[in-house]
Amino acid sequence: MRLGLEVPKALVPVKGESLLLRAVRGLLAPGCVQHVVVAAPPDQVEVVAAELAALPNAHVVPGGAERTDSVRLALGAVADVAPDAHVVLVHDAARCFTPASVIGDVVSAVEAGAPAVIPVLPVTDTIKRVDESGTVVETVDRAPLRAVQTPQGFNIDVLRQAYAAAGDIATDDAGLVERVGGKVHTVDGHPNALKITTAFDLAVAEAVLATEESSPK
């Protein structure tokens, strides 16, 4: 809704291709992801399936009312489409320009034994803590702070355990793993993995794509 357009954000086109199509193709491109399960709005399942029809191993299932519900439903579908999977990623279609190197680093870290892995970037803005009236209480040391991106990677049994224990809405899957005592490791994120939420973000994404397309190969 914050994009102000009439179609679901994931289906908004960037230079002729939807965010969703670019995100799924991006996951499959490095070769370390074998299947992608997309949780779509229940009334958009056929539309989303048609959007991804040309991509191999892209599966569409009805999502839920909240993000947590959708991830839980998609995670359940993994047992059918990839019963031998031991590494699972959770990714936002809105981060459709995540570089292949970031995806590969997340997968490699989980395969090396990390139960949960997230790509992160240092926080560059000054951070203030304020009280209920909006008055500044303190300036927070940003050195240990990190902004989290996706895909987040997990040993599939660890994520299943975290979701089995989750009884409320969560915006961060790694946070659910933390709740059940799991350790979350980090790898370097990338500025291109920005989350497209507003019309300004969309304009930035289009500019990034134009720059990449004009760069020498």
Side-chain angles (χ1 to χ4, degrees), residues 22-23 25-33 89 91-92 95-107 119-121 149-151 187-195 208 212:
R22 291 182 180 277
R25 184 186 291 124
L27 283 170
L28 293 170
C32 54
V33 176
L89 306 179
H91 193 36
D92 296 325
R95 295 188 189 273
C96 62
F97 294 108
T98 300
S101 59
V102 173
I103 297 168
D105 287 347
V106 171
V107 172
V120 300
L121 288 177
Q149 302 180 323
T150 68
V187 297
D188 290 339
H190 194 283
N192 284 11
L194 75 165
K195 187 175 183 180
V208 169
E212 290 183 345

Side-chain angles (χ1 to χ4, degrees), residues 1-5 7-10 12-14 19 93-97 194-207:
M1 290 183 289
R2 281 176 285 182
L3 275 176
L5 302 174
V7 297
K9 179 171 66 175
V12 170
V14 176
L19 303 184
R95 295 188 189 273
C96 62
F97 294 108
L194 75 165
K195 187 175 183 180
I196 299 172
T197 303
T198 66
F200 178 78
D201 299 332
L202 189 61
V204 171
E206 290 175 337

Side-chain angles (χ1 to χ4, degrees), residues 9-67:
K9 179 171 66 175
L11 297 179
V12 170
V14 176
K15 293 203 166 210
E17 292 187 342
S18 69
L19 303 184
L20 177 63
L21 180 59
R22 291 182 180 277
V24 175
R25 184 186 291 124
L27 283 170
L28 293 170
C32 54
V33 176
Q34 304 306 315
H35 295 270
V36 177
V37 178
V38 177
D43 62 348
Q44 297 285 324
V45 170
E46 292 185 1
V47 174
V48 171
E51 182 74 6
L52 302 175
L55 295 182
N57 298 331
H59 315 270
V60 183
V61 299
E66 302 290 344
R67 183 184 185 280

Side-chain angles (χ1 to χ4, degrees), residues 86-89 104-118 152-156 185 187:
H86 62 281
V87 176
V88 63
L89 306 179
D105 287 347
V106 171
V107 172
S108 295
V110 179
E111 289 181 330
V117 179
I118 56 176
Q152 298 186 359
F154 306 89
N155 174 286
I156 194 168
H185 299 256
V187 297

Side-chain angles (χ1 to χ4, degrees), residues 67-68 71-72 75 86 88-90 106 110 113-118 148 151-186:
R67 183 184 185 280
T68 311
V71 175
R72 183 179 284 111
L75 188 60
H86 62 281
V88 63
L89 306 179
V90 182
V106 171
V110 179
V117 179
I118 56 176
V148 180
Q152 298 186 359
F154 306 89
N155 174 286
I156 194 168
D157 293 332
V158 170
L159 189 60
R160 284 172 173 158
Q161 178 188 359
Y163 265 87
D168 54 4
I169 297 171
T171 59
D172 178 59
D173 302 283
L176 296 180
V177 172
E178 293 170 37
R179 289 188 199 177
V180 297
K183 288 188 176 181
V184 179
H185 299 256
T186 66

